[in-house]
Amino acid sequence: MDEKIPTIKEMKKSRQVPDELKARVKEYGRIKKEILKALETKRGTIPEIAASTGLRQEVVTYTLMTMRKFHEIEVEGLDDMDEYYYYRKAEV
Amino acid sequence: MSQDNEKYDAIVIGGGIAGQESALNLADSDQKVLLVEKDLSFGGKMIHLSKVFPTLDCSACITTPKMSETARHPNITICTYSEFTEIEKLPDGTFTGILTRHPRYVIEKDCTGCQDCEEVCPSVVEDQYQYGMVGRKAAYVPFSIANPRIAAIDIENCILCGACERACPADAIDFTQKTEKTRVNAGSVIVATGFRLFDPAVIRKYGLGKYKNVVTSMQMERQLVPTRPFNNVLRPKDAKVPDNIAYVLCVGSRDLTIGSPVCSQVCCMYSVKQGQLLMGALPMADVTVYYLHVRAFGKGFEEFYQQSRGMGVKYVKGKVGTIEEKENGDLILRYEDIRDGSVKEETHDLVVLSVGMLPNPEAGSLFAGNALELDEFGYVRQVDMLKNPASTSIEGVFVAGTASGPMDIPDSIASSGAAAAEALSYLKRKR
Ligand SMILES: Cc1cc2nc3c(=O)[nH]c(=O)nc-3n(C[C@H](O)[C@H](O)[C@H](O)COP(=O)(O)OP(=O)(O)OC[C@H]3O[C@@H](n4cnc5c(N)ncnc54)[C@H](O)[C@@H]3O)c2cc1C
Ligand code: SF4
Ligand code: SF4
């Protein structure tokens, strides 16, 4: 069967990727790495992950919930006070 | 522009519950219908709701079979991610306009919806179908029950890395797609462009955007569905399970200060509904509704409201003035207690703003020279509201659902039946 010629090359001729967008993609990758690092050896709640990474809580919530959507994070049970869930890295 | 004119008996603009119902009624009467939807999937707002008042039926369970019926009907052609504009009435009483199909950069017939493209895409932006609470990729299937359930490339947020194209097992990604324009003719037009949600960020005293634990009722709808953004109903700031939730009614409705004098008709009842659903999802939580009047005017509505009281939802007749955030993310509501005029404060850990409906201004610009008249509130003008409620200022053009004013789902469906019946009688008269 014939190999498909990538059409992305055509798009690149007429479009430039704004620097701001490149920076945003990079920043998301950085935050994701930080969260995964915090969960490398132990599970954590969002406030715990925020405290250990120095990231704002809402940034951790948004990114971690997005990672959960893409099956990179799994949910464990609630803490003793029934207030916060524990999250861990998904098993590959 | 394509040289071949497409011809239909009717064009329905907007694929929400109203547009689908109108299209199905006409198609069942042997009329050829083109349903034009500007979003990537049709389904409108209803496909994103949790359960519906007052029956608490699952919204998606009602909508998805109707969507399948619409998509499969031999007399209905659906164009998603498309618009129909520059509409003009011809001397013979028929209509002509331009159908614009925007590129998805995905070959519709080849995409299987496998989401392999989504998995490898590195670009993440706010997911508009989860009202910004989580992200989605630039290569994405809009949502799990989308129709059509196929991918699209959000080119504005694409870094042109090509990973999606390399990953696609069906060779369905095509970055050479261009906008296509076609002239389309039809015997009649039904406008079912729906409503816009009020954006409460403009009422700064309520703190939406600034205080992360202030959310809109549409965000709460998403938190209450099985395909929710989080793993449970949680606070967007720190993912705490809330246990003391407040509702503020009439946000963006009946408020002249923001130019929105109309009662949105659904906010009271959907708040009553959400209160009950929250009691089920979080049995330990307190729910308090701050209201001016509870308008439980429909069949079974008063009983539904009383049922929520019986379940323990608390109702406070009070006008909320300001919301302030505490260090722990809790929120202090300062309100006027209407019963004695005193100003009080109460702390809650999550606040839901029951946002109102606004007219969709696009309805007015569909026709050449903005020929379709709007009423004083910005909705499509009903010229003969009592005798022919679907008739508009242009003979042969009819309005269905919330394009003519705020209404709930049963009323939207009834109004769509009226629009289809009036369109059918117009078509018969002109033949
Ligand atoms: C938070 C919330 C909860 C609710 N809960 C309930 C409930 O429990 N029970 C109930 O009965 N009602 C409820 N409602 C009301 C319900 O959502 C509406 O009655 C219903 O969605 C109206 O349907 P519609 O088709 O008129 O409009 P929409 O759902 O707004 O659909 C309009 C469609 O037209 C498309 N469109 C817009 N402009 C164009 C254009 N220019 N070209 C092509 N397509 C276009 C849109 O993309 C959309 O798909 C709720 C509303 C809200 C906000
Ligand atoms: S080319 Fe664009 S859409 Fe495709 S994977 Fe890369 S960023 Fe995502
Ligand atoms: S575009 Fe390709 S990879 Fe993406 S969902 Fe469709 S078939 Fe799968």
Side-chain angles (χ1 to χ4, degrees):
Chain A
M1 211 171 87
D2 288 347
E3 187 87 345
K4 187 193 170 210
I5 302 161
T7 59
I8 191 79
K9 287 186 183 156
E10 279 304 306
M11 184 58 86
K12 278 181 176 166
K13 284 184 199 160
S14 60
R15 250 190 115 77
Q16 288 248 309
V17 180
D19 288 343
E20 190 252 26
L21 175 60
K22 284 186 209 157
R24 220 175 52 212
V25 172
K26 219 167 147 189
E27 176 65 359
Y28 179 83
R30 185 189 72 81
I31 295 168
K32 199 173 129 172
K33 253 193 209 146
E34 294 267 348
I35 292 173
L36 289 173
K37 207 167 101 194
L39 297 175
E40 194 61 62
T41 52
K42 57 177 194 312
R43 64 183 191 172
T45 64
I46 300 261
E48 285 168 359
I49 300 166
S52 72
T53 56
L55 294 165
R56 280 183 291 132
Q57 290 183 337
E58 58 264 36
V59 172
V60 177
T61 303
Y62 174 85
T63 313
L64 184 135
M65 293 300 174
T66 303
M67 292 164 72
R68 189 188 78 91
K69 176 174 155 181
F70 295 115
H71 316 292
E72 295 163 314
I73 293 284
E74 283 168 3
V75 186
E76 281 201 10
L78 275 163
D79 65 7
D80 291 344
M81 302 293 286
D82 286 348
E83 277 191 331
Y84 293 99
Y85 283 92
Y86 286 107
Y87 301 92
R88 64 170 142 77
K89 263 174 77 168
E91 277 156 35
V92 194
Chain B
M1 182 161 17
S2 155
Q3 293 307 305
D4 302 329
N5 280 17
E6 289 179 27
K7 287 195 178 66
Y8 297 90
D9 294 310
I11 292 184
V12 177
I13 307 173
I17 189 66
Q20 290 170 65
E21 185 66 20
S22 298
L24 281 169
N25 277 306
L26 285 166
D28 284 343
S29 306
D30 289 330
Q31 307 301 304
K32 294 273 178 225
V33 181
L34 174 66
L35 179 63
V36 183
E37 167 57 54
K38 74 168 186 184
D39 207 344
L40 292 167
S41 165
F42 67 103
K45 314 279 189 311
M46 188 178 170
I47 192 71
H48 303 293
L49 301 180
S50 54
K51 299 193 173 182
V52 290
F53 64 76
T55 56
L56 290 184
D57 283 311
C58 155
S59 188
C61 309
I62 305 170
T63 323
T64 38
K66 187 160 291 250
M67 285 167 75
S68 304
E69 195 188 341
T70 309
R72 279 203 313 262
H73 202 297
N75 288 337
I76 300 177
T77 303
I78 301 175
C79 281
T80 50
Y81 211 33
S82 301
E83 280 162 276
F84 188 57
T85 52
E86 298 171 47
I87 311 169
E88 283 176 88
K89 188 168 181 180
L90 300 172
D92 65 354
T94 64
F95 294 86
T96 186
I98 307 294
L99 177 70
T100 306
R101 291 184 174 96
H102 300 292
R104 293 176 88 104
Y105 303 109
V106 169
I107 303 163
E108 294 198 19
K109 65 173 182 35
D110 292 344
C111 174
T112 60
C114 69
Q115 293 177 282
D116 285 3
C117 52
E118 197 166 302
E119 202 179 315
V120 296
C121 177
S123 180
V124 173
V125 285
E126 282 185 8
D127 184 346
Q128 68 272 39
Y129 300 106
Q130 297 286 17
Y131 291 83
M133 288 179 285
V134 284
R136 62 147 172 88
K137 303 288 185 77
Y140 69 118
V141 171
F143 48 92
S144 58
I145 47 174
N147 196 326
R149 197 187 172 287
I150 53 176
I153 307 293
D154 168 0
I155 204 70
E156 295 303 319
N157 288 296
C158 168
I159 57 164
L160 306 181
C161 69
C164 53
E165 193 172 14
R166 288 191 295 277
C168 176
D171 283 346
I173 292 179
D174 179 3
F175 282 99
T176 66
Q177 284 186 351
K178 301 264 181 299
T179 300
E180 283 174 25
K181 286 185 187 270
T182 320
R183 181 160 288 283
V184 176
N185 290 22
S188 70
V189 178
I190 292 184
V191 177
T193 45
F195 66 100
R196 257 187 325 133
L197 282 169
F198 175 72
D199 176 8
V202 303
I203 308 182
R204 296 178 61 177
K205 61 186 182 177
Y206 290 157
L208 186 91
K210 190 166 156 210
Y211 308 143
K212 298 294 172 200
N213 294 330
V214 176
V215 299
T216 69
S217 45
M218 203 63 198
Q219 289 177 316
M220 183 50 84
E221 286 288 333
R222 293 309 304 158
Q223 289 227 36
L224 288 163
V225 297
T227 51
R228 54 173 57 122
F230 307 151
N231 51 294
N232 196 351
V233 178
L234 299 173
R235 305 205 303 183
K237 189 180 170 81
D238 57 359
K240 175 177 173 280
V241 181
D243 60 16
N244 190 2
I245 304 161
Y247 274 79
V248 181
L249 297 199
C250 294
V251 177
S253 308
R254 305 164 71 203
D255 188 348
L256 276 173
T257 63
I258 45 136
S260 182
V262 180
C263 165
S264 290
Q265 301 211 17
V266 295
C267 320
C268 288
M269 294 317 290
Y270 75 58
S271 304
V272 168
K273 166 190 80 178
Q274 291 187 2
Q276 296 191 31
L277 295 176
L278 280 167
M279 294 303 234
L282 308 170
M284 303 310 288
D286 292 326
V287 180
T288 308
V289 179
Y290 294 87
Y291 72 100
L292 294 174
H293 307 96
V294 172
R295 293 187 160 172
F297 55 87
K299 191 162 76 176
F301 288 10
E302 178 62 22
E303 291 79 357
F304 192 61
Y305 165 52
Q306 293 304 337
Q307 179 174 301
S308 79
R309 282 182 168 273
M311 287 172 77
V313 178
K314 201 173 137 198
Y315 288 83
V316 173
K317 195 169 172 68
K319 187 165 174 50
V320 176
T322 57
I323 298 175
E324 270 170 44
E325 192 184 49
K326 288 166 70 169
E327 211 169 304
N328 66 357
D330 286 357
L331 299 146
I332 306 166
L333 264 71
R334 178 176 273 249
Y335 68 97
E336 181 193 345
D337 189 326
I338 306 282
R339 285 165 311 180
D340 60 12
S342 61
V343 175
K344 293 181 175 162
E345 282 187 354
E346 201 65 57
T347 300
H348 295 273
D349 60 1
L350 184 68
V351 173
V352 184
L353 304 177
S354 295
V355 291
M357 288 180 169
L358 293 181
N360 178 359
E362 286 172 43
S365 52
L366 299 171
F367 287 78
N370 294 340
L372 186 68
E373 286 176 22
L374 305 180
D375 63 21
E376 75 256 50
F377 307 114
Y379 290 97
V380 175
R381 191 163 83 84
Q382 296 163 281
V383 290
D384 189 6
M385 206 195 277
L386 296 181
K387 290 205 298 279
N388 299 298
S391 295
T392 69
S393 59
I394 303 173
E395 201 199 358
V397 177
F398 305 94
V399 61
T402 52
S404 69
M407 63 184 86
D408 62 12
I409 293 159
D411 284 355
S412 297
I413 290 177
S415 122
S416 309
E422 287 189 42
L424 204 54
S425 111
Y426 177 81
L427 288 166
K428 292 257 150 86
R429 271 202 319 274
K430 289 287 163 190
R431 274 173 195 151

